Structure formats: structure tokens, C-alpha cells
Short mmCIF file of all heavy atoms in Angstrom, two decimals:
data_model
loop_
_atom_site.label_atom_id
_atom_site.label_comp_id
_atom_site.label_asym_id
_atom_site.label_seq_id
_atom_site.Cartn_x
_atom_site.Cartn_y
_atom_site.Cartn_z
N GLY A 293 -71.30 99.68 -48.42
CA GLY A 293 -71.31 98.99 -47.14
C GLY A 293 -69.91 98.43 -46.87
O GLY A 293 -69.28 97.85 -47.74
N PHE A 294 -69.46 98.58 -45.63
CA PHE A 294 -68.13 98.11 -45.25
C PHE A 294 -68.23 97.32 -43.96
O PHE A 294 -68.67 97.84 -42.94
CB PHE A 294 -67.17 99.29 -45.06
CG PHE A 294 -65.79 98.88 -44.66
CD1 PHE A 294 -64.93 98.28 -45.57
CD2 PHE A 294 -65.35 99.07 -43.37
CE1 PHE A 294 -63.65 97.88 -45.19
CE2 PHE A 294 -64.09 98.68 -42.97
CZ PHE A 294 -63.21 98.09 -43.89
N SER A 295 -67.80 96.04 -44.02
CA SER A 295 -67.84 95.20 -42.84
C SER A 295 -66.44 94.92 -42.30
O SER A 295 -66.30 94.36 -41.21
CB SER A 295 -68.50 93.86 -43.18
OG SER A 295 -67.68 93.12 -44.08
N GLY A 296 -65.41 95.24 -43.09
CA GLY A 296 -64.06 94.92 -42.71
C GLY A 296 -63.58 93.58 -43.25
O GLY A 296 -62.43 93.21 -43.12
N GLY A 297 -64.50 92.84 -43.86
CA GLY A 297 -64.16 91.54 -44.45
C GLY A 297 -63.49 91.71 -45.81
O GLY A 297 -63.38 92.82 -46.35
N LYS A 298 -63.08 90.60 -46.36
CA LYS A 298 -62.32 90.64 -47.63
C LYS A 298 -63.14 91.19 -48.79
O LYS A 298 -62.62 91.93 -49.62
CB LYS A 298 -61.74 89.28 -47.96
CG LYS A 298 -62.75 88.20 -48.24
CD LYS A 298 -62.09 86.85 -48.46
CE LYS A 298 -63.03 85.74 -48.79
NZ LYS A 298 -64.28 85.66 -48.08
N ASP A 299 -64.42 90.83 -48.88
CA ASP A 299 -65.21 91.29 -50.02
C ASP A 299 -65.49 92.80 -49.98
O ASP A 299 -65.29 93.50 -50.97
CB ASP A 299 -66.55 90.54 -50.06
CG ASP A 299 -66.38 89.04 -50.32
OD1 ASP A 299 -65.41 88.68 -50.98
OD2 ASP A 299 -67.21 88.26 -49.85
N SER A 300 -65.91 93.31 -48.82
CA SER A 300 -66.19 94.75 -48.75
C SER A 300 -64.90 95.57 -48.81
O SER A 300 -64.89 96.66 -49.36
CB SER A 300 -66.99 95.09 -47.49
OG SER A 300 -66.27 94.87 -46.31
N THR A 301 -63.81 95.03 -48.28
CA THR A 301 -62.53 95.71 -48.36
C THR A 301 -62.05 95.81 -49.81
O THR A 301 -61.60 96.86 -50.27
CB THR A 301 -61.48 95.00 -47.49
OG1 THR A 301 -61.91 94.99 -46.14
CG2 THR A 301 -60.11 95.67 -47.60
N CYS A 302 -62.19 94.72 -50.55
CA CYS A 302 -61.80 94.69 -51.96
C CYS A 302 -62.67 95.68 -52.78
O CYS A 302 -62.16 96.42 -53.60
CB CYS A 302 -61.92 93.28 -52.50
SG CYS A 302 -61.40 93.13 -54.22
N THR A 303 -63.97 95.66 -52.52
CA THR A 303 -64.88 96.57 -53.25
C THR A 303 -64.52 98.00 -52.95
O THR A 303 -64.44 98.83 -53.87
CB THR A 303 -66.35 96.27 -52.85
OG1 THR A 303 -66.63 94.92 -53.16
CG2 THR A 303 -67.30 97.21 -53.56
N LEU A 304 -64.32 98.33 -51.70
CA LEU A 304 -63.98 99.69 -51.31
C LEU A 304 -62.66 100.12 -51.95
O LEU A 304 -62.56 101.21 -52.50
CB LEU A 304 -63.90 99.84 -49.80
CG LEU A 304 -63.46 101.18 -49.26
CD1 LEU A 304 -64.39 102.31 -49.75
CD2 LEU A 304 -63.42 101.14 -47.74
N GLN A 305 -61.68 99.25 -51.95
CA GLN A 305 -60.37 99.58 -52.56
C GLN A 305 -60.50 99.80 -54.06
O GLN A 305 -59.91 100.73 -54.61
CB GLN A 305 -59.35 98.50 -52.27
CG GLN A 305 -57.97 98.84 -52.77
CD GLN A 305 -57.38 100.04 -52.06
OE1 GLN A 305 -57.18 100.00 -50.85
NE2 GLN A 305 -57.11 101.11 -52.77
N LEU A 306 -61.30 98.97 -54.71
CA LEU A 306 -61.52 99.12 -56.15
C LEU A 306 -62.16 100.46 -56.46
O LEU A 306 -61.71 101.20 -57.34
CB LEU A 306 -62.39 97.97 -56.67
CG LEU A 306 -62.85 98.07 -58.12
CD1 LEU A 306 -61.67 97.78 -59.03
CD2 LEU A 306 -63.97 97.11 -58.40
N VAL A 307 -63.22 100.79 -55.75
CA VAL A 307 -63.92 102.06 -55.98
C VAL A 307 -63.01 103.23 -55.63
O VAL A 307 -62.91 104.20 -56.39
CB VAL A 307 -65.23 102.13 -55.19
CG1 VAL A 307 -65.86 103.51 -55.22
CG2 VAL A 307 -66.22 101.10 -55.71
N TRP A 308 -62.33 103.15 -54.49
CA TRP A 308 -61.44 104.25 -54.04
C TRP A 308 -60.37 104.53 -55.11
O TRP A 308 -60.16 105.67 -55.49
CB TRP A 308 -60.78 103.86 -52.73
CG TRP A 308 -59.96 104.96 -52.12
CD1 TRP A 308 -58.77 105.43 -52.57
CD2 TRP A 308 -60.29 105.72 -50.97
NE1 TRP A 308 -58.31 106.42 -51.75
CE2 TRP A 308 -59.22 106.62 -50.75
CE3 TRP A 308 -61.35 105.70 -50.08
CZ2 TRP A 308 -59.21 107.49 -49.70
CZ3 TRP A 308 -61.33 106.60 -49.02
CH2 TRP A 308 -60.28 107.48 -48.84
N THR A 309 -59.71 103.49 -55.57
CA THR A 309 -58.64 103.65 -56.55
C THR A 309 -59.17 104.20 -57.85
O THR A 309 -58.58 105.11 -58.44
CB THR A 309 -57.92 102.32 -56.76
OG1 THR A 309 -57.40 101.87 -55.50
CG2 THR A 309 -56.77 102.45 -57.75
N ALA A 310 -60.29 103.67 -58.32
CA ALA A 310 -60.87 104.13 -59.59
C ALA A 310 -61.22 105.61 -59.52
O ALA A 310 -60.91 106.39 -60.43
CB ALA A 310 -62.11 103.30 -59.94
N LEU A 311 -61.83 106.02 -58.42
CA LEU A 311 -62.23 107.42 -58.29
C LEU A 311 -61.02 108.33 -58.07
O LEU A 311 -61.01 109.46 -58.56
CB LEU A 311 -63.25 107.59 -57.16
CG LEU A 311 -64.56 106.84 -57.37
CD1 LEU A 311 -65.54 107.15 -56.25
CD2 LEU A 311 -65.18 107.10 -58.73
N ALA A 312 -60.01 107.84 -57.38
CA ALA A 312 -58.80 108.63 -57.17
C ALA A 312 -58.08 108.92 -58.48
O ALA A 312 -57.33 109.91 -58.59
CB ALA A 312 -57.86 107.91 -56.20
N MET A 313 -58.28 108.08 -59.46
CA MET A 313 -57.66 108.26 -60.78
C MET A 313 -58.34 109.38 -61.58
O MET A 313 -57.75 109.87 -62.54
CB MET A 313 -57.71 106.95 -61.57
CG MET A 313 -56.86 105.86 -60.94
SD MET A 313 -57.22 104.21 -61.59
CE MET A 313 -56.58 104.38 -63.25
N LEU A 314 -59.55 109.77 -61.17
CA LEU A 314 -60.26 110.86 -61.87
C LEU A 314 -59.69 112.19 -61.40
O LEU A 314 -59.32 112.34 -60.23
CB LEU A 314 -61.74 110.83 -61.54
CG LEU A 314 -62.57 109.69 -62.12
CD1 LEU A 314 -63.99 109.73 -61.54
CD2 LEU A 314 -62.62 109.78 -63.64
N PRO A 315 -59.64 113.18 -62.29
CA PRO A 315 -59.25 114.52 -61.83
C PRO A 315 -60.23 115.03 -60.77
O PRO A 315 -61.41 114.67 -60.81
CB PRO A 315 -59.36 115.37 -63.11
CG PRO A 315 -59.41 114.41 -64.25
CD PRO A 315 -59.95 113.13 -63.71
N SER A 316 -59.75 115.81 -59.85
CA SER A 316 -60.58 116.26 -58.73
C SER A 316 -61.87 116.95 -59.18
O SER A 316 -62.91 116.82 -58.52
CB SER A 316 -59.80 117.16 -57.77
OG SER A 316 -59.35 118.30 -58.44
N GLU A 317 -61.83 117.67 -60.28
CA GLU A 317 -63.04 118.35 -60.73
C GLU A 317 -64.13 117.38 -61.20
O GLU A 317 -65.29 117.75 -61.30
CB GLU A 317 -62.74 119.38 -61.83
CG GLU A 317 -62.18 118.82 -63.10
CD GLU A 317 -60.67 118.68 -63.12
OE1 GLU A 317 -60.01 118.94 -62.09
OE2 GLU A 317 -60.13 118.29 -64.19
N ARG A 318 -63.75 116.14 -61.47
CA ARG A 318 -64.75 115.14 -61.87
C ARG A 318 -65.20 114.26 -60.69
O ARG A 318 -66.05 113.41 -60.86
CB ARG A 318 -64.17 114.26 -62.99
CG ARG A 318 -63.99 115.04 -64.28
CD ARG A 318 -63.27 114.29 -65.35
NE ARG A 318 -63.81 112.99 -65.66
CZ ARG A 318 -63.18 112.09 -66.40
NH1 ARG A 318 -62.00 112.35 -66.89
NH2 ARG A 318 -63.74 110.90 -66.65
N ARG A 319 -64.64 114.51 -59.51
CA ARG A 319 -65.03 113.77 -58.30
C ARG A 319 -65.92 114.65 -57.43
O ARG A 319 -65.53 115.10 -56.38
CB ARG A 319 -63.79 113.36 -57.51
CG ARG A 319 -62.94 112.33 -58.16
CD ARG A 319 -61.85 111.84 -57.23
NE ARG A 319 -61.17 112.92 -56.53
CZ ARG A 319 -59.89 113.20 -56.67
NH1 ARG A 319 -59.14 112.47 -57.44
NH2 ARG A 319 -59.36 114.19 -56.01
N GLN A 320 -67.12 114.88 -57.90
CA GLN A 320 -68.02 115.79 -57.18
C GLN A 320 -69.16 115.07 -56.46
O GLN A 320 -69.75 115.61 -55.56
CB GLN A 320 -68.60 116.82 -58.17
CG GLN A 320 -67.55 117.68 -58.83
CD GLN A 320 -66.72 118.45 -57.80
OE1 GLN A 320 -67.25 119.04 -56.87
NE2 GLN A 320 -65.41 118.42 -57.98
N LYS A 321 -69.47 113.88 -56.88
CA LYS A 321 -70.58 113.13 -56.27
C LYS A 321 -70.15 112.54 -54.92
O LYS A 321 -69.07 111.96 -54.81
CB LYS A 321 -71.01 112.01 -57.22
CG LYS A 321 -72.12 111.18 -56.65
CD LYS A 321 -72.82 110.24 -57.57
CE LYS A 321 -72.07 109.55 -58.64
NZ LYS A 321 -72.93 108.67 -59.44
N PRO A 322 -70.99 112.67 -53.89
CA PRO A 322 -70.62 112.10 -52.60
C PRO A 322 -70.60 110.57 -52.64
O PRO A 322 -71.43 109.95 -53.31
CB PRO A 322 -71.70 112.59 -51.63
CG PRO A 322 -72.70 113.35 -52.43
CD PRO A 322 -72.25 113.40 -53.85
N VAL A 323 -69.66 110.01 -51.89
CA VAL A 323 -69.58 108.57 -51.70
C VAL A 323 -69.54 108.36 -50.19
O VAL A 323 -68.63 108.87 -49.51
CB VAL A 323 -68.33 107.96 -52.36
CG1 VAL A 323 -68.24 106.46 -52.08
CG2 VAL A 323 -68.32 108.23 -53.85
N TYR A 324 -70.51 107.62 -49.69
CA TYR A 324 -70.58 107.35 -48.26
C TYR A 324 -70.18 105.91 -48.00
O TYR A 324 -70.62 104.99 -48.68
CB TYR A 324 -72.01 107.57 -47.74
CG TYR A 324 -72.50 108.97 -47.97
CD1 TYR A 324 -73.33 109.27 -49.05
CD2 TYR A 324 -72.14 110.00 -47.12
CE1 TYR A 324 -73.78 110.57 -49.27
CE2 TYR A 324 -72.58 111.30 -47.33
CZ TYR A 324 -73.41 111.57 -48.40
OH TYR A 324 -73.84 112.85 -48.62
N VAL A 325 -69.32 105.70 -47.01
CA VAL A 325 -68.91 104.37 -46.59
C VAL A 325 -69.56 104.15 -45.21
O VAL A 325 -69.30 104.91 -44.28
CB VAL A 325 -67.39 104.24 -46.51
CG1 VAL A 325 -66.99 102.85 -46.04
CG2 VAL A 325 -66.74 104.56 -47.85
N ILE A 326 -70.41 103.15 -45.16
CA ILE A 326 -71.14 102.90 -43.92
C ILE A 326 -70.86 101.48 -43.41
O ILE A 326 -70.48 100.59 -44.15
CB ILE A 326 -72.66 103.10 -44.11
CG1 ILE A 326 -73.22 102.11 -45.12
CG2 ILE A 326 -72.96 104.54 -44.54
CD1 ILE A 326 -74.73 102.06 -45.17
N SER A 327 -71.08 101.31 -42.13
CA SER A 327 -70.97 100.01 -41.50
C SER A 327 -72.08 99.88 -40.49
O SER A 327 -72.51 100.87 -39.89
CB SER A 327 -69.60 99.92 -40.79
OG SER A 327 -69.46 98.63 -40.24
N SER A 328 -72.55 98.67 -40.32
CA SER A 328 -73.65 98.41 -39.39
C SER A 328 -73.17 97.47 -38.31
O SER A 328 -72.69 96.37 -38.60
CB SER A 328 -74.83 97.81 -40.15
OG SER A 328 -75.88 97.51 -39.25
N ASP A 329 -73.26 97.90 -37.07
CA ASP A 329 -72.87 97.04 -35.94
C ASP A 329 -74.05 96.12 -35.64
O ASP A 329 -75.09 96.56 -35.13
CB ASP A 329 -72.50 97.90 -34.74
CG ASP A 329 -71.98 97.06 -33.60
OD1 ASP A 329 -72.02 95.81 -33.66
OD2 ASP A 329 -71.48 97.66 -32.62
N THR A 330 -73.90 94.85 -35.92
CA THR A 330 -74.97 93.88 -35.70
C THR A 330 -74.97 93.33 -34.28
O THR A 330 -75.78 92.47 -33.94
CB THR A 330 -74.83 92.70 -36.69
OG1 THR A 330 -73.56 92.08 -36.48
CG2 THR A 330 -74.95 93.18 -38.12
N LEU A 331 -74.03 93.82 -33.48
CA LEU A 331 -73.90 93.42 -32.08
C LEU A 331 -73.48 91.97 -31.87
O LEU A 331 -73.60 91.45 -30.79
CB LEU A 331 -75.19 93.70 -31.30
CG LEU A 331 -75.67 95.17 -31.33
CD1 LEU A 331 -77.00 95.32 -30.59
CD2 LEU A 331 -74.61 96.10 -30.74
N VAL A 332 -72.98 91.33 -32.94
CA VAL A 332 -72.46 89.99 -32.80
C VAL A 332 -70.94 89.95 -32.95
O VAL A 332 -70.33 88.94 -32.65
CB VAL A 332 -73.10 88.98 -33.81
CG1 VAL A 332 -74.59 88.87 -33.58
CG2 VAL A 332 -72.82 89.39 -35.24
N GLU A 333 -70.32 91.05 -33.40
CA GLU A 333 -68.89 91.10 -33.55
C GLU A 333 -68.22 91.29 -32.19
O GLU A 333 -68.79 91.90 -31.29
CB GLU A 333 -68.47 92.24 -34.49
CG GLU A 333 -68.79 92.00 -35.96
CD GLU A 333 -70.24 92.35 -36.31
OE1 GLU A 333 -70.94 92.92 -35.46
OE2 GLU A 333 -70.64 92.06 -37.45
N THR A 334 -67.00 90.78 -32.09
CA THR A 334 -66.24 90.98 -30.85
C THR A 334 -65.80 92.42 -30.77
O THR A 334 -65.72 93.14 -31.79
CB THR A 334 -65.00 90.06 -30.83
OG1 THR A 334 -64.11 90.50 -31.86
CG2 THR A 334 -65.37 88.60 -31.03
#
């Protein structure tokens, strides 16, 4: 889940970097990044 806030941004960066360090042949599982518009954001 990605909201654009500091916690989800940090989590996404941690996962992204960790997986990028794996050789491409070991990066086969899909990773989906989703966001939910709660209609309260500007």
C-alpha cells in the first residue's frame, strides 16, 4: 500500500532496494503497489 506519506514511502523504498539487489532471475514474483483514493486528499 502506498499513500505518499513517509511510512509507506520508506517501506516501498526498502522493498524496492532489497529486491533490486537480487539478480533478475530471482525477481520473478509480482509486486503490486496500490493506492486508495479516500476522497479526502486535496
Side-chain angles (χ1 to χ4, degrees):
F294 179 74
S295 68
K298 65 184 182 320
D299 296 330
S300 66
T301 300
C302 182
T303 301
L304 176 57
Q305 185 64 62
L306 173 73
V307 170
W308 186 288
T309 302
L311 298 184
M313 294 166 69
L314 290 173
S316 60
E317 64 272 5
R318 291 173 54 192
R319 291 188 314 243
Q320 299 302 314
K321 178 168 35 180
V323 178
Y324 301 99
V325 179
I326 63 169
S327 183
S328 178
D329 186 352
T330 60
L331 303 177
V332 298
E333 288 83 8
T334 67

